[in-house]
Structures are given as C-alpha cells and as structure tokens.
C-alpha cells in the first residue's frame, strides 16, 4: 500500500505535515515487516476490558494482507474469527498466506499469533477494479448532518454535570472519557440514561478517523474502516437490557465486511447498527449483505454463551 501524499481538499498543494496525519495511518495500523509476508503489530489503545481491541486486530490483519497484492488490486471482502483473547502486553505477529493470485481475484489468509498460538484468523478477497453495468443500492437513512450533532466527549461532559447521575454511571463515563480514541463519533439518536428501559437494539453514528488520510490508496481507507467497524458495536445488542442485567464480559467471535465502492475514512460516514436477534447458542442469518460502503455481520459471546446477531452498515454520503 502507498502512503498518502495529497493535501486536504481545498488546502492547496504540498505535503500535509505528519502531525496532521491520522494516527491510524502513522501508528495504529503501521506494521513492522519481519520477513516476507510476516509482520509485527503493536498496540495503540487497550479497552477497559484489558484485552486487545478487535478493530485493531482486524485493521492490522487487513494491512498485512494488502501488502501482499499489487497496487491496482483492491479488497472487496473479508471474513474473520477471533479464536483467543489478545494479550495487550506483547505484540501481535501477522503471517500472510498467498492462497490464490488470479487474473481478477486474489485471496489472502492471515493468522494473528501471540505466545505461539493463533488469536485471530482472517481471509480477505481482493479484486482488480472493473466497471459494471449493474449498479443499485438502498437509500441511506435520512438523519441530521454531523455538523448538527454533539460528539461523544461533549455528551459525556453533559452527563457528568448532572447532579442526579448515579455513581455507577459516573464511574463508567469517566473511564470512557479517559480513553484516547483515534476516531470521532457523533451519535444520531442520543439516549439519556433514563430512556434505556425502552430502547430498541438499534443505533446510528456519524464516524470518521481523526486526522488526515487523503485520497491516497483505497486499501488504506478500507483498513481504517475495518478498525472503526468494531467500535460501539456489541453494546447495541444490550440496549434493551441495560436496566435489567449487568453484563461483566463480552467478546467478539466473528466479523465479516464487504467493501462496495471507494470512500474516505477521514470523511464522515453514517454507521447504522441493528441487532435483529439475541438468545442462546444457535441462530441463522442468511441475508448477509450490508449496503453502502461497508457491510458486516457480527456475533458475540457473553455470559451463559448467549449470541446476538448484528447487521451494521457503514454509509458514505457521497454514494
């Protein structure tokens, strides 16, 4: 993948200073090559759970896979499984297997390893760009523009100023506020703590990478979107139950994505997430296609081995 050299839209010529570039490009998704198709990734942000953030593993694995294909080959889908919890105390090794290199389609398998064992496996499919006479998609939901909405930091500050806020919520919000996330998030429908009892398992956010990425390589924007896709995700399935149950542990099990058209991950994108089903082990879901820029189907494991199917979509407003 190539580095981005173009200036921000409308800012004139010349390279963008490094301190304005997204930390997702300069640090979080920047892998150290150790050998052919072998890379080492380090950690930028570790969640409160003290386990590695799933989005980091997905994004870094896709970076590793993308380095094994030519510049004119772009990713169109990936399918991943989290098989062990990530250890934030040691780096992650990514081994890429060149499963197939064809004239139009190529497949790469990536295994993320810690302590000599795989913690994550992924298959990514790449395609040479080709025009198609068949083009359609659903309409993006009608929502307020991001400029009219408050970001997470401002909303949390407003919650913390409420003298009636329960201490258990105050502790959790302070922990969230202390996190240094490399993306910006603006919820579309802000739910107060008093409204959680009647909340559907649906959420929408405007999201984008902090800092500048630019036009550059489409594969890098896909890697950043893969990183973003695991934020604010598992909580969707729990929205109807916050007032009823206290969940101590959640973990991602699988994650799939489809990349439909070029987009900018440093521009605002609408992240639409729904949980159409939750219950005990065993479920079927045969729809499988998100719309817009990125679609994914995702499940998680919680106490009592419950499963929730989530169908998120990442819309790019330019489509």
């Amino acid at each position: 993948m190539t580095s981005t050299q173009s200036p921000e839209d409308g800012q004139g010529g010349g390279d963008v200073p490094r301190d304005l570039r997204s930390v997702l490009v300069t640090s979080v998704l920047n892998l150290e090559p150790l050998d052919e198709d072998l890379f080492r990734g380090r950690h930028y942000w570790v969640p409160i759970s003290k386990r590695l953030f799933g989005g980091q593993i997905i994004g870094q694995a896709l970076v590793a896979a993308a380095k094994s294909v030519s510049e004119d080959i772009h990713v169109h889908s990936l399918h991943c499984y989290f098989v062990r919890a990530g250890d934030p105390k040691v780096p992650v090794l990514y081994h890429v297997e060149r499963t197939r290199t064809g004239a139009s389609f190529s497949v790469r398998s990536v295994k993320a390893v810690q302590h000599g064992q795989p913690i994550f496996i992924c298959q990514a499919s790449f395609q040479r760009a080709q025009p198609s006479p068949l083009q359609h998609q659903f309409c993006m939901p009608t929502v307020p523009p991001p400029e009219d909405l408050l970001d997470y930091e401002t909303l949390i500050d407003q919650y913390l100023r409420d003298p009636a806020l329960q201490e258990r919520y105050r502790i959790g919000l302070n922990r969230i506020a202390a996190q240094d996330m490399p993306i910006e998030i603006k919820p579309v429908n802000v739910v107060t703590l008093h409204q959680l009892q009647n909340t559907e398992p649906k959420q929408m956010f405007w999201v984008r990478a902090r800092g500048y990425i630019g036009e550059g390589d489409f594969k890098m924007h896909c890697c950043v979107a893969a990183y973003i896709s695991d934020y604010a995700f598992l909580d969707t399935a729990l929205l109807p139950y916050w007032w009823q149950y206290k969940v101590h542990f959640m973990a991602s099990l699988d994650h799939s994505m489809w990349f439909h058209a070029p987009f900018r991950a440093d521009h605002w994108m609408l992240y639409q997430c729904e949980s159409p089903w939750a219950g005990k082990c065993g479920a079927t879901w045969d729809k499988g296609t998100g719309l817009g820029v990125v679609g994914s189907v995702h499940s998680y494991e919680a106490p009592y081995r419950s499963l929730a199917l989530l169908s998120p979509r990442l819309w790019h407003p330019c489509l």
Side-chain angles (χ1 to χ4, degrees):
M1 297 192 311
T2 58
S3 60
T4 305
Q5 297 294 329
S6 302
E8 183 59 274
D9 297 344
Q11 287 189 349
D15 288 353
V16 173
R18 185 176 178 85
D19 59 353
L20 296 182
R21 296 188 186 277
S22 172
V23 70
L24 285 163
V25 176
T26 62
S27 178
V28 180
L29 300 178
N30 187 26
L31 299 181
E32 176 188 359
L34 300 178
D35 203 341
E36 184 177 19
D37 296 335
L38 182 63
F39 305 90
R40 177 163 53 201
R42 303 195 179 273
H43 318 314
Y44 174 80
W45 174 75
V46 177
I48 298 172
S49 64
K50 304 303 181 184
R51 297 166 179 262
L52 290 185
F53 172 51
Q56 172 196 299
I57 307 300
I58 300 169
Q60 289 182 345
L62 186 54
V63 168
K67 288 180 179 295
S68 69
V69 299
S70 59
E71 297 291 339
D72 59 336
I73 303 295
H74 301 295
V75 61
H76 71 81
S77 67
L78 60 86
H79 304 276
C80 328
Y81 289 91
F82 296 90
V83 294
R84 289 181 176 86
D87 183 354
K89 298 187 293 295
V90 298
V92 180
L93 296 179
Y94 296 92
H95 178 259
V96 180
E97 178 184 338
R98 304 193 182 202
T99 308
R100 179 180 187 270
T101 300
S104 297
F105 292 90
S106 299
V107 177
R108 297 294 184 261
S109 300
V110 184
K111 183 184 296 183
V113 177
Q114 284 186 321
H115 304 297
Q117 293 184 314
I119 64 170
F120 172 89
I121 53 178
C122 168
Q123 281 201 324
S125 181
F126 294 82
Q127 177 185 14
R128 190 179 304 277
Q130 296 174 329
S132 171
L134 306 179
Q135 296 185 14
H136 70 265
Q137 71 166 37
F138 288 178
C139 294
M140 190 179 79
T142 301
V143 297
E147 294 77 17
D148 294 346
L149 300 173
L150 300 177
D151 58 24
Y152 257 174
E153 291 82 356
T154 304
L155 289 170
I156 289 175
D157 182 65
Q158 289 183 356
Y159 288 147
L160 292 174
R161 293 175 184 272
D162 183 358
L165 182 66
Q166 297 182 30
E167 187 61 23
R168 64 191 180 104
Y169 292 130
R170 189 176 300 278
I171 293 173
L173 289 173
N174 276 313
R175 287 175 177 172
I176 296 174
Q179 298 174 359
D180 185 17
M181 296 190 300
I183 66 172
E184 297 179 73
I185 305 177
K186 292 189 175 186
V188 172
N189 300 310
V190 179
V191 179
T192 67
L193 298 175
H194 306 291
Q195 296 173 324
L196 287 177
Q197 295 187 29
N198 301 311
T199 302
E200 288 187 298
K202 299 179 181 180
Q203 294 191 91
M204 285 194 289
F205 310 89
W206 285 104
V207 296
R208 68 178 178 185
R210 293 188 186 276
Y212 172 79
I213 300 175
E215 296 291 343
D217 187 356
F218 173 46
K219 289 195 288 290
M220 176 53 70
H221 287 279
C222 292
C223 295
V224 171
Y227 179 95
I228 292 174
S229 70
D230 205 42
Y231 268 113
F233 197 53
L234 297 179
D235 292 348
T236 303
L238 294 180
L239 283 175
Y241 312 106
W242 279 117
W243 60 279
Q244 191 174 3
Y245 302 106
K246 185 175 182 180
V247 177
H248 296 278
F249 171 75
M250 293 191 299
S252 298
L253 291 181
D254 59 274
H255 198 108
S256 299
M257 303 182 71
W258 293 262
F259 303 89
H260 301 303
F263 62 96
R264 290 274 299 265
D266 54 354
H267 287 181
W268 287 112
M269 300 173 289
L270 182 65
Y271 190 12
Q272 180 185 17
C273 191
E274 299 181 2
S275 176
W277 185 93
K280 292 185 178 180
C281 287
T284 59
W285 179 257
D286 61 5
K287 191 172 182 179
T289 52
L291 303 178
V293 175
V294 183
S296 69
V297 177
H298 191 109
S299 61
Y300 78 87
E301 183 174 12
Y304 314 114
R305 302 186 63 80
S306 297
L307 292 178
L309 292 175
L310 297 106
S311 176
R313 299 180 175 94
L314 203 58
W315 299 89
H316 196 277
C318 294
L319 295 180

